[in-house]
Amino acid sequence: MMAAIDIFGVFVNIIAPLLVTAVFLRYLIARIRNKKKQSGLRLPPGSFGWPILGETLEFLQSGWDGEPGRFLKQRMEKHQNPPVFKTSLTGEPMAVLSGPAAHKFLFGNENKLVQVWWPPSAKKLLGNGLSNSVGEEAKHTRKMLSYFLTPDALMRLYIKTVDQVTQHHIAIHWQGKEEVKTFPVVKLYTFELACRLFMSLEDPRHIEKLAALFNVFLKGVISIPLNFPGTRFYRAIRATGAVRKELMVILKDRRLALEQKTASPSQDLLSHLLASPDDNGKFMSESEIINNILLLLFAGHDTSSVAITLVMKVLGELPQVYQKVLREQTEIASSKGAEGFLQWEDIQKMKYSWDVVCEVMRLWPPIMGAFREALVDLNYAGYDIPKGWKLYWTPASTHTDPSFFRDAMNFDPSRFEGAGPTPFSYVPFGGGPRMCLGKEYARVEILVFLHNVVNKFRWNLLVPDEKIIYDPMPTPVEGLPICLHPHNP
């Protein structure tokens, strides 16, 4: 015991101050070098904030307060609404670009002038895979993963299974319940569906164990990367390690099953990645497969959960919107018969329902934004952005801007009829070569759930004015508890 106390005392009194001093000196030297390099440049207006931390805490706090656009708005107004301003986030000098022109510039210059970049916390947790790959490697990886996520794959392989899993989930977790806490239950649904489709994992206890670890991982993806006990990042590192161990066991078992021909190379994404080389005849390593499945679980789990939960919120608040969705879904259900499962053609008929989902994602984008890195010295809107600087774009810059959306804070699904919004003003899935790989998968997952839930229930919100925070995705602070009212049989 005394030895442990002595070691702790040495750390607090000697090692920790030395580490802090070393980090600060490193920061100071880098800052001086950067100032020399940047002399004579016309940098965007703005402030780098505090040493090392920059404006990271203010950026995160705006999301925690439920106002993700505040960080952007305050700085835009302070500098007379420039198309770009500078800041420092996660220890990096950063240019924040806003507006449709900025989105078009970034999406159109992927792998030319800019490339994908993730904060240190996300890089560490996600590992090597599509999230951190660029250029030709990213193209090959994306092609391998998209084999199971294209509309064609969804038509051939998934629709019936998605409907079956959804019906089973609602029978277990919704039917017979007077009250449901929507967000955690929907998160379990989307995770269960991803496990089933990507890895053929069906054991509910195994799925719940993985889901619990995964939720800890998610909290650390966008966080300050301080890896010591008590921090989000520390807990996320350990949870991610446990998830990877579980996935490695599943992978080893599947490889053996493929060798023994008790599993099919086309049965799911895991088998496909194990059995199929890329265009150059190269197979993914086991660690790469695990990292890419981890990425898809991350991308396809929380974002869809958020969208479904907030659609449930809107339908509970706006009975006229609920009635229109119910009418559309009832007509589709009537054409199927009691035992019929949804087909691809049925998904295409859900036009109004998808307009509702799009309007939800306009008001509450599933992500706060994304990062890029300048590959060369850039000049954007008359301002210099040095090579190596990071760039940030956010849907918040356009989604509620009355210049692009009339009565921007009103809920109006008709915005998406006809030609729809101004190009590059509505970007919940990003754009360009890095557009969300699972866009069609998310659409099917959300609409199939919506079809099943509205055909069985109406509901009202138990906390009508529940606060929505971004942590890092929009999250109802109470989990959106609702009271269910089954339709008469």
Side-chain angles (χ1 to χ4, degrees):
M1 181 70 178
M2 290 302 296
I5 292 172
D6 288 344
I7 292 171
F8 181 75
V10 168
F11 178 80
V12 170
N13 294 309
I14 300 175
I15 299 176
L18 287 174
L19 286 173
V20 170
T21 303
V23 169
F24 183 76
L25 286 173
R26 184 181 174 187
Y27 166 82
L28 207 58
I29 292 167
R31 190 75 180 265
I32 292 168
R33 286 175 177 169
N34 285 336
K35 277 192 174 181
K36 287 181 180 178
K37 287 181 184 177
Q38 294 162 12
S39 60
L41 297 180
R42 186 177 184 236
L43 298 178
S47 168
F48 289 123
W50 292 94
I52 303 173
L53 281 177
E55 296 188 303
T56 305
L57 292 180
E58 295 95 320
F59 173 76
L60 294 173
Q61 191 65 52
S62 68
W64 296 336
D65 290 343
E67 302 176 62
R70 185 180 71 203
F71 181 84
L72 179 81
K73 185 179 179 183
Q74 287 178 345
R75 284 150 185 79
M76 295 279 288
E77 289 176 350
K78 181 178 180 181
H79 300 289
Q80 289 78 51
N81 295 310
V84 56
F85 66 85
K86 71 174 180 284
T87 183
S88 174
L89 301 176
T90 66
E92 298 282 351
M94 194 160 301
V96 179
L97 280 65
S98 63
H103 298 156
K104 183 178 181 180
F105 173 79
L106 291 173
F107 300 158
N109 286 295
E110 189 73 47
N111 299 322
K112 301 171 189 173
L113 304 180
V114 300
Q115 68 181 15
V116 68
W117 181 82
W118 288 83
S121 56
K123 279 185 182 178
K124 178 70 174 176
L125 293 172
L126 292 171
N128 293 326
L130 180 61
S131 60
N132 291 313
S133 63
V134 297
E136 289 301 313
E137 181 187 357
K139 287 181 184 176
H140 291 309
T141 304
R142 191 178 179 90
K143 186 175 180 181
M144 289 283 289
L145 296 177
S146 66
Y147 178 82
F148 267 76
L149 295 170
T150 61
D152 180 59
L154 290 164
M155 280 189 281
R156 287 185 294 104
L157 303 170
Y158 284 163
I159 297 288
K160 182 177 178 180
T161 303
V162 173
D163 202 7
Q164 287 175 322
V165 171
T166 306
Q167 290 183 25
H168 178 73
H169 166 82
I170 288 176
I172 298 297
H173 297 284
W174 296 70
Q175 286 180 311
K177 307 285 196 302
E178 290 185 5
E179 295 181 8
V180 169
K181 191 169 278 193
T182 309
F183 190 49
V185 175
V186 168
K187 284 178 75 173
L188 182 60
Y189 159 72
T190 58
F191 194 76
E192 177 185 3
L193 185 61
C195 286
R196 174 78 176 269
L197 296 180
F198 298 161
M199 301 181 290
S200 300
L201 190 62
E202 298 184 23
D203 180 358
R205 288 174 298 180
H206 198 176
I207 291 171
E208 286 189 21
K209 178 184 176 183
L210 277 173
L213 291 168
F214 204 78
N215 286 332
V216 179
F217 152 77
L218 288 168
K219 292 291 186 184
V221 172
I222 305 296
S223 65
I224 297 171
L226 299 175
N227 190 18
F228 55 79
T231 66
R232 279 187 172 194
F233 188 67
Y234 177 88
R235 291 190 293 269
I237 284 283
R238 273 137 194 83
T240 309
V243 170
R244 282 197 169 91
K245 284 182 182 177
E246 294 282 341
L247 294 180
M248 183 61 78
V249 171
I250 294 168
L251 183 149
K252 297 283 190 187
D253 289 345
R254 179 61 59 81
R255 188 184 291 283
L256 182 61
L258 287 168
E259 291 171 358
Q260 296 176 345
K261 302 195 183 308
T262 56
S264 163
S266 61
Q267 77 179 54
D268 57 25
L269 182 64
L270 176 59
S271 280
H272 174 69
L273 295 180
L274 282 168
S276 306
D278 65 18
D279 292 340
N280 297 322
K282 180 185 175 184
F283 286 87
M284 277 190 194
S285 68
E286 291 183 344
S287 63
E288 285 176 315
I289 291 173
I290 286 172
N291 287 339
N292 281 312
I293 287 180
L294 188 68
L295 172 66
L296 289 178
L297 289 172
F298 163 56
H301 163 51
D302 236 35
T303 50
S304 294
S305 302
V306 160
I308 291 172
T309 299
L310 295 175
V311 168
M312 297 287 289
K313 168 183 165 62
V314 166
L315 296 185
E317 290 174 331
L318 303 175
Q320 72 278 16
V321 176
Y322 172 86
Q323 286 300 329
K324 285 187 178 181
V325 170
L326 177 61
R327 191 179 310 125
E328 181 175 79
Q329 297 298 342
T330 300
E331 288 176 5
I332 293 169
S334 298
S335 71
K336 305 305 297 178
E339 301 299 325
F341 290 103
L342 290 169
Q343 303 294 327
W344 183 255
E345 296 74 23
D346 300 313
I347 302 298
Q348 309 317 306
K349 295 175 185 175
M350 301 180 187
K351 295 184 184 300
Y352 180 76
S353 298
W354 185 242
D355 287 347
V356 169
V357 176
C358 289
E359 181 70 343
V360 165
M361 292 191 293
R362 181 185 72 82
L363 289 168
W364 297 283
I367 59 167
M368 286 179 67
F371 300 91
R372 297 293 186 268
E373 180 177 12
L375 295 173
V376 297
D377 291 334
L378 300 175
N379 187 281
Y380 180 76
Y383 293 103
D384 295 310
I385 301 173
K387 177 183 177 180
W389 269 39
K390 309 309 179 279
L391 303 102
Y392 178 74
W393 66 269
T394 170
S397 75
T398 55
H399 278 204
T400 54
D401 187 336
S403 304
F404 309 111
F405 297 96
R406 185 168 52 85
D407 298 324
M409 299 314 295
N410 288 343
F411 191 87
D412 181 8
S414 69
R415 302 177 197 277
F416 295 91
E417 296 173 357
T422 302
F424 298 101
S425 65
Y426 177 71
V427 286
F429 296 104
R434 304 293 303 203
M435 178 178 277
C436 175
L437 186 65
K439 177 183 176 182
E440 285 299 321
Y441 170 76
R443 186 169 78 101
V444 168
E445 178 180 31
I446 293 166
L447 288 175
V448 171
F449 182 89
L450 195 56
H451 171 83
N452 282 281
V453 79
V454 300
N455 274 313
K456 291 191 179 298
F457 309 101
R458 63 181 178 85
W459 55 89
N460 59 278
L461 308 184
L462 294 176
V463 186
D465 298 316
E466 186 173 355
K467 185 178 180 180
I468 307 295
I469 63 170
Y470 277 68
D471 191 25
M473 298 174 189
T475 307
V477 293
E478 302 291 339
L480 198 75
I482 59 175
C483 183
L484 292 173
H485 307 284
H487 297 314
N488 293 327

